[in-house]
Amino acid sequence: MNGTLNKVTLIGHLGDNVKIHYFENGNCVGRFPLATNESYINKTTNEKIISTEWHNIIVRNKQAETCEKYLTKGDRIYVEGKIRTRQWVTEEGFEKQIIEIVVSEFMFLDVKKEKTETTQNTEKKNAIDNFTIPNENNNDNLPF
């Protein structure tokens, strides 16, 4: 293969709410941690082991605003993007590095319910109990 490919696909749960930062030019960037889990059975102890990997997710502009508006900690999301490594030096002179996933596409996997089922059932029962048939008025001279 002659070319290279930098592509990441993840499905996971938000570890925190989306933090958004606006720039002077009107653009913005949103950041949030994403947890992915892998489980397996330890063959010697028959114990189920769950391993969690944390990913630093970056969304930009309209995507960032959409994620901030609709996502909360614990929500499940599908993200597609590329790996980016950033390096910098702190004020104290220490070199730092972070690996991030820059999102190109995403999909919310949890459906937000506006009302709980109990509330909906109560409202439905009340609507049925309070339903009345309107009085017929045949004074309009219509044949039907």
Side-chain angles (χ1 to χ4, degrees):
M1 181 177 208
N2 291 334
T4 64
L5 178 65
N6 180 356
K7 185 172 183 174
V8 177
T9 303
L10 299 170
I11 296 176
H13 294 271
L14 268 71
D16 199 0
N17 292 333
V18 178
K19 305 284 191 279
I20 198 164
H21 175 77
Y22 287 91
F23 300 102
E24 290 179 7
N25 63 3
N27 291 337
C28 62
V29 63
R31 301 174 187 277
F32 58 90
L34 186 74
T36 56
N37 297 322
E38 182 179 0
S39 63
Y40 61 92
I41 304 293
N42 184 326
K43 291 183 179 180
T44 58
T45 63
N46 268 352
E47 180 184 3
K48 183 177 181 179
I49 307 294
I50 298 176
S51 173
T52 302
E53 188 73 32
W54 287 96
H55 311 276
N56 299 303
I57 306 298
I58 304 295
V59 286
R60 297 184 184 277
N61 301 320
K62 191 67 175 170
Q63 287 183 335
E65 292 172 340
T66 302
C67 286
E68 181 190 39
K69 183 176 180 180
Y70 294 106
L71 290 174
T72 56
K73 180 179 179 178
D75 287 346
R76 213 163 55 110
I77 186 173
Y78 163 93
V79 297
E80 204 173 283
K82 62 182 179 179
I83 297 174
R84 180 182 71 183
T85 304
R86 286 191 304 123
Q87 300 171 345
W88 70 97
V89 178
T90 66
E91 293 177 359
E92 295 81 25
F94 296 109
E95 290 185 14
K96 295 281 187 171
Q97 178 176 318
I98 189 169
I99 299 171
E100 300 170 320
I101 308 300
V102 180
V103 173
S104 57
E105 298 192 30
F106 65 90
M107 182 184 311
F108 302 143
L109 299 177
D110 285 336
V111 177
K112 299 282 186 181
K113 295 184 179 179
E114 292 293 324
K115 298 179 182 178
T116 63
E117 289 184 25
T118 310
T119 305
Q120 289 175 340
N121 289 342
T122 303
E123 288 177 355
K124 185 176 179 180
K125 183 181 180 312
N126 289 340
I128 292 171
D129 290 346
N130 296 331
F131 179 76
T132 57
I133 298 173
N135 293 334
E136 286 191 22
N137 185 354
N138 291 330
N139 296 335
D140 55 9
N141 294 328
L142 294 176
F144 48 89

